[in-house]
Amino acid sequence: MTVIGIAVLALAIFGIKQHLATQVAWNQRFAQSRHSPTKDAMIALARRSAEIEADDAAERLRRLGEMQRASEKYERDRKAWRCINHIPFRQIPGGWENVPGESC
């Protein structure tokens, strides 16, 4: 009975350790992709463009061009997404992954 008890305890400890390692790996992978980088770039550009002074027309046009290119890239990337039950999926090497924080 003691040997069985020790075996069950060892398996439980191993299971908990594996579960915690999986949680850490999952959080590391998906913490970076909660917001798409192009969306964050668009938000940052929009904030910066609001700070541009009105008399600096060349800088304003340059920043507006950057915002437009970022927006177009985001739209191109979004067109490649597939929706299943209102959940967007984007293609990654080896398959598809859902896009956290977005909807179709």
Side-chain angles (χ1 to χ4, degrees), residues 38 42 66-76:
T38 55
M42 287 175 28
E66 287 178 5
M67 285 177 53
Q68 184 178 7
R69 284 189 294 278
S71 176
E72 289 170 355
K73 182 181 182 321
Y74 177 75
E75 288 301 318
R76 277 193 313 271

Side-chain angles (χ1 to χ4, degrees), residues 31-40 100:
Q32 297 169 354
S33 66
R34 285 203 175 120
H35 302 287
S36 59
T38 55
K39 190 174 181 181
D40 290 341

Side-chain angles (χ1 to χ4, degrees), residues 27 29-30 32 40 47 58 63 74 83 86-87 92 95 100:
N27 288 336
R29 178 176 179 195
F30 290 108
Q32 297 169 354
D40 290 341
R47 286 184 183 152
R63 297 245 176 140
Y74 177 75
C83 292
H86 302 286
I87 300 173
I92 59 170

Side-chain angles (χ1 to χ4, degrees), residues 11-48:
L11 288 172
I13 291 172
F14 176 75
I16 291 170
K17 182 179 180 237
Q18 187 68 32
H19 173 72
L20 293 176
T22 302
Q23 264 188 325
V24 168
W26 181 271
N27 288 336
Q28 285 176 348
R29 178 176 179 195
F30 290 108
Q32 297 169 354
S33 66
R34 285 203 175 120
H35 302 287
S36 59
T38 55
K39 190 174 181 181
D40 290 341
M42 287 175 28
I43 291 170
L45 285 173
R47 286 184 183 152
R48 282 187 277 168

